[in-house]
Coordinates of all heavy atoms in Angstrom, one line a residue:
M463 N 0.8 -1.2 0.0 CA 0.0 0.0 0.0 C 0.9 1.2 0.0 O 1.9 1.3 0.7 CB -0.9 0.0 1.2 CG -1.9 1.1 1.3 SD -3.0 1.1 2.7 CE -4.0 -0.3 2.2
H464 N 0.5 2.2 -0.8 CA 1.3 3.5 -0.9 C 0.5 4.6 -0.3 O -0.8 4.7 -0.5 CB 1.7 3.8 -2.3 CG 2.6 2.8 -2.9 ND1 3.9 2.8 -2.7 CD2 2.3 1.7 -3.7 CE1 4.4 1.8 -3.4 NE2 3.5 1.1 -4.0
Y465 N 1.1 5.5 0.3 CA 0.5 6.7 0.9 C 1.0 7.9 0.3 O 2.2 8.0 0.0 CB 0.6 6.7 2.4 CG 0.0 5.5 3.1 CD1 0.7 4.4 3.4 CD2 -1.4 5.6 3.4 CE1 0.1 3.3 4.1 CE2 -2.0 4.5 4.1 CZ -1.3 3.4 4.4 OH -1.9 2.3 5.0
K466 N 0.2 9.0 0.2 CA 0.7 10.3 -0.2 C 0.5 11.3 0.9 O -0.6 11.4 1.4 CB -0.1 10.7 -1.5 CG 0.4 12.0 -2.0 CD -0.4 12.3 -3.3 CE 0.1 13.7 -3.8 NZ -0.6 14.0 -5.1
I467 N 1.5 12.0 1.2 CA 1.4 13.1 2.3 C 0.7 14.3 1.6 O 1.2 14.9 0.7 CB 2.7 13.4 2.9 CG1 3.3 12.2 3.6 CG2 2.6 14.6 3.8 CD1 4.7 12.3 4.1
K468 N -0.4 14.7 2.2 CA -1.1 15.9 1.7 C -0.6 17.2 2.3 O -0.4 18.2 1.6 CB -2.6 15.7 2.0 CG -3.4 16.8 1.4 CD -4.9 16.6 1.7 CE -5.8 17.7 1.2 NZ -7.2 17.5 1.5
E469 N -0.4 17.1 3.6 CA 0.1 18.3 4.4 C 1.0 17.9 5.5 O 0.9 16.8 6.0 CB -1.1 19.1 5.0 CG -2.0 19.7 4.0 CD -3.2 20.4 4.8 OE1 -3.6 19.9 5.8 OE2 -3.6 21.4 4.2
I470 N 1.9 18.8 5.9 CA 2.8 18.5 7.0 C 2.5 19.7 8.0 O 2.7 20.8 7.7 CB 4.3 18.5 6.7 CG1 4.5 17.4 5.6 CG2 5.1 18.2 7.9 CD1 5.9 17.4 5.1
W471 N 2.2 19.3 9.2 CA 2.0 20.3 10.3 C 2.9 20.0 11.4 O 3.1 18.8 11.8 CB 0.5 20.2 10.8 CG -0.5 20.9 9.9 CD1 -1.0 20.3 8.8 CD2 -1.1 22.1 10.1 NE1 -1.8 21.2 8.2 CE2 -1.9 22.3 9.0 CE3 -1.0 23.1 11.0 CZ2 -2.7 23.4 8.8 CZ3 -1.7 24.3 10.8 CH2 -2.6 24.4 9.7
I472 N 3.5 21.0 12.0 CA 4.3 20.9 13.2 C 3.7 21.8 14.3 O 3.1 22.8 14.0 CB 5.8 21.2 13.0 CG1 6.0 22.6 12.5 CG2 6.5 20.1 12.1 CD1 7.5 23.0 12.5
Y473 N 4.0 21.4 15.5 CA 3.6 22.2 16.7 C 4.8 22.5 17.5 O 5.2 21.7 18.4 CB 2.5 21.3 17.5 CG 1.3 21.0 16.6 CD1 1.3 20.0 15.7 CD2 0.2 21.8 16.7 CE1 0.2 19.7 14.9 CE2 -0.9 21.6 15.9 CZ -0.9 20.5 15.0 OH -2.0 20.3 14.2
P474 N 5.5 23.6 17.2 CA 6.7 23.9 17.9 C 6.6 24.0 19.4 O 7.5 23.6 20.1 CB 7.1 25.3 17.3 CG 6.4 25.4 16.0 CD 5.1 24.6 16.2
I475 N 5.4 24.5 19.9 CA 5.2 24.5 21.3 C 4.1 23.6 21.7 O 3.0 23.7 21.2 CB 4.9 26.0 21.8 CG1 6.0 26.9 21.5 CG2 4.6 25.9 23.4 CD1 5.7 28.4 21.9
K476 N 4.4 22.6 22.5 CA 3.4 21.6 22.8 C 2.1 22.2 23.3 O 2.1 23.1 24.0 CB 3.9 20.7 23.9 CG 3.0 19.6 24.3 CD 3.7 18.7 25.4 CE 2.8 17.6 25.9 NZ 2.0 16.9 25.0
S477 N 1.0 21.7 22.7 CA -0.4 22.2 23.1 C -0.8 23.5 22.4 O -2.0 23.9 22.6 CB -0.6 22.2 24.6 OG -0.5 21.0 25.1
L478 N 0.0 24.2 21.7 CA -0.4 25.4 21.1 C -0.6 25.2 19.6 O -0.5 24.1 19.1 CB 0.7 26.5 21.3 CG 0.9 26.9 22.7 CD1 1.8 28.1 22.8 CD2 -0.5 27.3 23.4
D479 N -1.0 26.3 18.9 CA -1.3 26.2 17.5 C -0.1 25.6 16.6 O 1.0 25.8 16.9 CB -1.6 27.6 16.9 CG -2.8 28.3 17.6 OD1 -3.7 27.5 17.9 OD2 -2.7 29.5 17.9
G480 N -0.5 24.9 15.6 CA 0.5 24.3 14.7 C 0.7 25.2 13.5 O -0.1 26.2 13.3
I481 N 1.7 24.9 12.7 CA 1.9 25.6 11.5 C 2.1 24.6 10.4 O 2.7 23.6 10.6 CB 3.1 26.6 11.6 CG1 4.4 25.9 11.9 CG2 2.8 27.7 12.5 CD1 5.6 26.7 11.8
R482 N 1.6 24.9 9.2 CA 1.8 24.1 8.0 C 3.1 24.4 7.4 O 3.4 25.6 7.2 CB 0.6 24.3 7.1 CG 0.6 23.2 6.0 CD -0.7 23.3 5.2 NE -0.4 24.0 4.0 CZ -1.3 24.4 3.1 NH1 -2.5 24.2 3.3 NH2 -0.9 24.9 2.0
I483 N 3.9 23.4 7.1 CA 5.2 23.6 6.4 C 5.2 22.8 5.1 O 4.5 21.8 4.9 CB 6.3 23.2 7.4 CG1 6.2 21.7 7.8 CG2 6.4 24.1 8.6 CD1 7.3 21.2 8.6
S484 N 6.1 23.2 4.2 CA 6.2 22.5 2.9 C 7.1 21.3 2.9 O 7.0 20.4 2.1 CB 6.6 23.5 1.8 OG 7.8 24.1 2.1
Q485 N 8.1 21.3 3.8 CA 9.0 20.2 3.9 C 9.7 20.2 5.3 O 9.7 21.2 6.0 CB 10.1 20.3 2.8 CG 11.0 21.5 2.9 CD 11.9 21.5 1.7 OE1 11.9 20.7 0.9 NE2 12.8 22.5 1.7
T486 N 10.2 19.1 5.7 CA 10.9 18.9 6.9 C 11.8 17.7 6.9 O 11.8 17.0 5.9 CB 10.0 18.9 8.1 OG1 10.7 19.0 9.4 CG2 9.2 17.6 8.2
G487 N 12.5 17.5 7.9 CA 13.3 16.2 8.0 C 12.9 15.5 9.3 O 12.0 15.9 10.0
L488 N 13.6 14.5 9.6 CA 13.4 13.7 10.8 C 14.5 13.8 11.8 O 15.7 13.8 11.3 CB 13.1 12.2 10.5 CG 11.9 11.9 9.6 CD1 11.9 10.5 9.2 CD2 10.6 12.4 10.2
N489 N 14.2 13.8 13.0 CA 15.3 13.7 14.1 C 15.7 12.3 14.2 O 15.1 11.4 13.6 CB 14.7 14.2 15.4 CG 14.4 15.7 15.4 OD1 15.2 16.5 15.1 ND2 13.2 16.0 15.8
A490 N 16.8 12.0 14.9 CA 17.3 10.7 15.1 C 16.3 9.7 15.6 O 16.3 8.5 15.3 CB 18.5 10.7 16.0
D491 N 15.3 10.2 16.5 CA 14.3 9.4 17.1 C 13.1 9.2 16.1 O 12.1 8.5 16.5 CB 13.8 9.9 18.4 CG 13.2 11.3 18.3 OD1 13.0 11.8 17.2 OD2 12.8 11.8 19.4
G492 N 13.1 9.8 14.9 CA 12.0 9.6 14.0 C 10.9 10.7 14.1 O 10.0 10.7 13.3
S493 N 11.1 11.6 15.0 CA 10.1 12.7 15.1 C 10.4 13.8 14.1 O 11.6 13.9 13.6 CB 10.1 13.3 16.5 OG 11.4 13.9 16.8
L494 N 9.5 14.6 13.8 CA 9.7 15.7 12.8 C 10.5 16.8 13.5 O 10.4 17.2 14.6 CB 8.3 16.3 12.4 CG 7.4 15.4 11.7 CD1 6.0 16.2 11.5 CD2 7.9 15.0 10.4
I495 N 11.4 17.4 12.7 CA 12.3 18.5 13.1 C 11.4 19.7 13.5 O 10.4 20.0 12.7 CB 13.3 18.8 12.1 CG1 14.3 17.7 11.9 CG2 14.0 20.2 12.4 CD1 15.3 17.9 10.8
N496 N 11.7 20.3 14.6 CA 11.0 21.5 15.1 C 9.5 21.2 15.6 O 8.8 22.1 15.9 CB 10.9 22.6 14.1 CG 12.3 23.2 13.8 OD1 13.1 23.4 14.7 ND2 12.6 23.5 12.6
D497 N 9.2 20.0 15.8 CA 7.9 19.6 16.3 C 8.0 19.4 17.8 O 8.7 18.5 18.3 CB 7.3 18.4 15.6 CG 5.9 18.1 16.0 OD1 5.1 19.0 15.9 OD2 5.6 16.9 16.3
R498 N 7.2 20.1 18.6 CA 7.1 20.0 20.0 C 8.4 20.1 20.7 O 8.8 19.3 21.6 CB 6.4 18.7 20.4 CG 4.9 18.7 20.0 CD 4.2 17.4 20.2 NE 2.8 17.4 19.8 CZ 2.3 17.2 18.6 NH1 3.2 17.0 17.6 NH2 1.1 17.3 18.4
V499 N 9.2 21.1 20.3 CA 10.6 21.3 20.9 C 10.5 22.1 22.1 O 11.5 22.2 22.9 CB 11.6 21.8 19.8 CG1 11.9 20.8 18.8 CG2 11.1 23.1 19.2
F500 N 9.4 22.8 22.3 CA 9.2 23.7 23.5 C 7.9 23.3 24.2 O 7.0 22.7 23.6 CB 9.2 25.2 23.1 CG 10.4 25.6 22.4 CD1 10.4 25.8 21.0 CD2 11.6 25.9 23.1 CE1 11.5 26.3 20.3 CE2 12.7 26.3 22.4 CZ 12.7 26.5 21.0
A501 N 7.8 23.7 25.4 CA 6.6 23.5 26.2 C 6.5 24.6 27.2 O 7.5 25.2 27.6 CB 6.6 22.2 26.9
L502 N 5.3 25.0 27.6 CA 5.0 25.9 28.6 C 4.9 25.2 29.9 O 4.4 24.1 30.0 CB 3.7 26.7 28.4 CG 3.7 27.5 27.1 CD1 2.3 28.1 26.9 CD2 4.7 28.5 27.1
H503 N 5.5 25.7 31.0 CA 5.6 25.0 32.3 C 4.8 25.9 33.3 O 4.9 27.1 33.3 CB 7.0 24.8 32.7 CG 7.7 23.8 31.9 ND1 7.9 22.5 32.3 CD2 8.3 23.9 30.7 CE1 8.6 21.9 31.4 NE2 8.9 22.7 30.4
R504 N 4.2 25.2 34.2 CA 3.5 25.8 35.3 C 4.5 26.2 36.4 O 5.7 25.7 36.3 CB 2.5 24.9 35.9 CG 1.4 24.5 34.9 CD 0.5 23.3 35.4 NE 0.1 23.5 36.8 CZ -1.1 23.8 37.2 NH1 -2.0 24.0 36.3 NH2 -1.4 23.9 38.5
K505 N 4.2 27.0 37.3 CA 5.1 27.4 38.4 C 5.6 26.2 39.2 O 6.7 26.2 39.7 CB 4.4 28.3 39.4 CG 4.2 29.7 38.8 CD 3.6 30.6 39.9 CE 3.4 32.0 39.3 NZ 2.8 32.9 40.2
D506 N 4.8 25.1 39.3 CA 5.2 23.9 40.0 C 6.1 23.0 39.1 O 6.6 21.9 39.6 CB 4.0 23.1 40.5 CG 3.1 22.6 39.4 OD1 3.5 22.7 38.2 OD2 2.0 22.0 39.7
G507 N 6.4 23.4 37.9 CA 7.3 22.7 37.0 C 6.7 21.7 36.1 O 7.3 21.2 35.1
N508 N 5.4 21.4 36.3 CA 4.7 20.5 35.4 C 4.4 21.2 34.0 O 4.2 22.4 34.0 CB 3.3 20.1 36.0 CG 3.5 19.1 37.1 OD1 4.3 18.2 37.1 ND2 2.7 19.3 38.1
I509 N 4.4 20.4 33.0 CA 4.1 21.0 31.6 C 2.6 21.3 31.6 O 1.7 20.6 32.0 CB 4.4 19.9 30.6 CG1 6.0 19.8 30.5 CG2 3.9 20.4 29.2 CD1 6.4 18.7 29.6
L510 N 2.4 22.5 31.0 CA 1.0 23.0 30.9 C 0.5 22.4 29.6 O 1.1 22.6 28.5 CB 1.0 24.5 30.8 CG -0.3 25.3 30.7 CD1 -1.1 25.0 32.0 CD2 -0.1 26.7 30.6
N511 N -0.7 21.7 29.7 CA -1.3 21.2 28.5 C -2.8 21.1 28.6 O -3.3 21.3 29.7 CB -0.7 19.8 28.1 CG -1.1 18.7 29.1 OD1 -2.1 18.7 29.7 ND2 -0.1 17.8 29.4
G512 N -3.5 20.9 27.5 CA -4.9 20.9 27.5 C -5.6 19.8 28.4 O -6.7 20.0 28.8
K513 N -4.9 18.7 28.6 CA -5.5 17.7 29.4 C -5.6 18.1 30.9 O -6.5 17.7 31.6 CB -4.7 16.4 29.3 CG -4.7 15.8 27.9 CD -3.8 14.6 27.8 CE -3.8 14.0 26.4 NZ -2.9 12.9 26.3
R514 N -4.6 18.8 31.3 CA -4.6 19.3 32.7 C -5.2 20.6 33.0 O -5.7 20.9 34.1 CB -3.2 19.3 33.2 CG -2.5 17.9 33.3 CD -1.2 18.0 34.0 NE -0.4 16.8 33.8 CZ 0.8 16.7 33.2 NH1 1.4 17.8 32.9 NH2 1.4 15.6 33.1
D515 N -5.2 21.5 32.0 CA -5.7 22.9 32.1 C -6.2 23.4 30.8 O -5.5 23.7 29.9 CB -4.5 23.8 32.6 CG -5.0 25.1 33.1 OD1 -6.1 25.6 32.7 OD2 -4.3 25.7 33.9
A516 N -7.6 23.4 30.7 CA -8.2 23.9 29.5 C -7.9 25.3 29.1 O -8.1 25.7 27.9 CB -9.7 23.7 29.6
R517 N -7.4 26.1 30.0 CA -7.0 27.5 29.7 C -6.0 27.6 28.6 O -5.9 28.6 27.9 CB -6.6 28.3 30.9 CG -7.7 28.4 32.0 CD -7.2 29.1 33.2 NE -6.1 28.3 33.8 CZ -5.4 28.7 34.8 NH1 -5.5 29.9 35.3 NH2 -4.4 27.9 35.3
I518 N -5.2 26.6 28.4 CA -4.2 26.6 27.3 C -4.8 26.8 26.0 O -4.2 27.3 25.1 CB -3.3 25.3 27.4 CG1 -2.0 25.5 26.5 CG2 -4.0 24.1 27.0 CD1 -1.0 26.5 27.0
H519 N -6.1 26.4 25.8 CA -6.8 26.5 24.5 C -7.1 28.0 24.2 O -7.5 28.3 23.1 CB -8.0 25.6 24.5 CG -7.7 24.2 24.7 ND1 -6.9 23.5 23.8 CD2 -8.0 23.3 25.7 CE1 -6.8 22.2 24.3 NE2 -7.4 22.1 25.4
E520 N -7.0 28.8 25.2 CA -7.2 30.3 25.0 C -6.0 31.0 24.5 O -6.0 32.2 24.2 CB -7.7 30.9 26.3 CG -9.0 30.3 26.9 CD -9.3 30.8 28.3 OE1 -8.5 31.6 28.8 OE2 -10.3 30.3 28.8
V521 N -4.8 30.3 24.4 CA -3.6 30.9 24.0 C -3.4 30.7 22.5 O -3.6 29.6 22.0 CB -2.4 30.3 24.8 CG1 -1.1 30.9 24.2 CG2 -2.5 30.6 26.2
R522 N -3.2 31.8 21.8 CA -3.0 31.7 20.3 C -1.5 32.0 20.1 O -0.8 32.7 20.8 CB -3.8 32.7 19.6 CG -5.3 32.6 19.7 CD -5.9 31.5 18.8 NE -5.5 30.2 18.9 CZ -6.1 29.3 19.7 NH1 -7.0 29.6 20.5 NH2 -5.6 28.0 19.7
M523 N -0.9 31.3 19.1 CA 0.5 31.5 18.7 C 0.6 31.8 17.2 O -0.1 31.2 16.4 CB 1.2 30.2 19.0 CG 2.7 30.3 18.6 SD 3.5 28.7 18.6 CE 3.0 28.0 17.0
T524 N 1.4 32.8 16.9 CA 1.8 33.0 15.6 C 3.3 32.9 15.6 O 4.0 33.3 16.6 CB 1.4 34.4 15.0 OG1 1.8 35.4 15.9 CG2 -0.1 34.4 14.9
I525 N 3.9 32.5 14.5 CA 5.3 32.3 14.4 C 5.8 32.7 13.0 O 5.1 32.5 12.0 CB 5.7 30.8 14.7 CG1 7.2 30.6 14.9 CG2 5.0 29.9 13.7 CD1 7.5 29.2 15.5
D526 N 7.0 33.3 12.9 CA 7.5 33.6 11.6 C 8.0 32.4 10.9 O 8.3 31.4 11.5 CB 8.5 34.7 11.7 CG 9.9 34.3 12.3 OD1 10.2 33.1 12.2 OD2 10.6 35.1 12.8
P527 N 8.1 32.5 9.5 CA 8.4 31.3 8.7 C 9.8 30.7 9.1 O 10.1 29.5 8.9 CB 8.4 31.8 7.3 CG 7.5 33.0 7.3 CD 7.7 33.6 8.7
S528 N 10.7 31.5 9.6 CA 12.0 31.0 10.0 C 12.1 30.3 11.4 O 13.1 29.8 11.8 CB 13.1 32.1 10.0 OG 12.8 33.1 11.0
L529 N 10.9 30.3 12.0 CA 10.8 29.7 13.4 C 11.7 30.4 14.4 O 12.1 29.7 15.4 CB 11.0 28.2 13.3 CG 10.2 27.4 12.3 CD1 10.6 25.9 12.3 CD2 8.7 27.5 12.7
T530 N 11.9 31.7 14.2 CA 12.8 32.3 15.2 C 12.1 33.3 16.1 O 12.6 33.7 17.1 CB 14.0 33.1 14.5 OG1 13.4 34.0 13.6 CG2 14.9 32.1 13.8
R531 N 10.9 33.7 15.7 CA 10.1 34.7 16.5 C 8.7 34.1 16.7 O 8.0 33.8 15.8 CB 10.0 36.0 15.9 CG 11.3 36.8 15.9 CD 11.1 38.2 15.3 NE 12.3 38.9 15.5 CZ 12.4 39.9 16.4 NH1 11.4 40.3 17.1 NH2 13.5 40.5 16.5
I532 N 8.3 34.0 18.0 CA 7.0 33.5 18.3 C 6.2 34.6 19.1 O 6.7 35.3 19.9 CB 7.1 32.3 19.2 CG1 7.8 31.1 18.4 CG2 5.7 31.8 19.7 CD1 8.1 30.0 19.3
H533 N 4.9 34.8 18.7 CA 4.1 35.7 19.4 C 2.9 35.0 20.0 O 2.2 34.2 19.4 CB 3.5 36.8 18.5 CG 2.6 37.7 19.1 ND1 2.9 38.7 20.0 CD2 1.2 37.9 19.0 CE1 1.9 39.3 20.4 NE2 0.8 38.9 19.8
L534 N 2.7 35.1 21.3 CA 1.6 34.5 22.1 C 0.6 35.6 22.4 O 1.0 36.7 22.9 CB 2.1 33.8 23.3 CG 3.2 32.7 23.1 CD1 3.6 32.2 24.5 CD2 2.7 31.6 22.2
S535 N -0.7 35.2 22.3 CA -1.7 36.1 22.7 C -2.8 35.3 23.5 O -2.8 34.1 23.3 CB -2.3 36.9 21.6 OG -2.8 36.0 20.6
H536 N -3.6 36.0 24.2 CA -4.7 35.3 25.0 C -6.0 35.7 24.4 O -6.3 36.9 24.2 CB -4.6 35.7 26.4 CG -5.6 35.1 27.3 ND1 -6.8 35.8 27.7 CD2 -5.7 33.9 27.9 CE1 -7.5 35.0 28.4 NE2 -6.8 33.8 28.6
T537 N -6.9 34.7 24.1 CA -8.2 35.0 23.7 C -9.2 35.0 24.9 O -8.9 34.4 25.9 CB -8.7 34.0 22.6 OG1 -8.7 32.7 23.3 CG2 -7.8 34.0 21.4
T538 N -10.2 35.8 24.8 CA -11.2 35.8 25.9 C -12.5 35.3 25.4 O -12.8 35.1 24.3 CB -11.4 37.2 26.4 OG1 -11.7 38.1 25.3 CG2 -10.1 37.7 27.1

């Protein structure tokens, strides 16, 4: 069976918005390069994610194409 990749999405910051990219490579562990390389942490050190805290879904992320500048905003 053959598969065709229609789109590639990465999520640079775990639990935040993803971005569609035209190409990427794989890390040594088989994960996509630049996918989930960062995470937001709570004051207690735990990773902030939608399973533990639904408020993370109120955070929007925009990122420049070079993946060097990230802007976070809060929706109400």
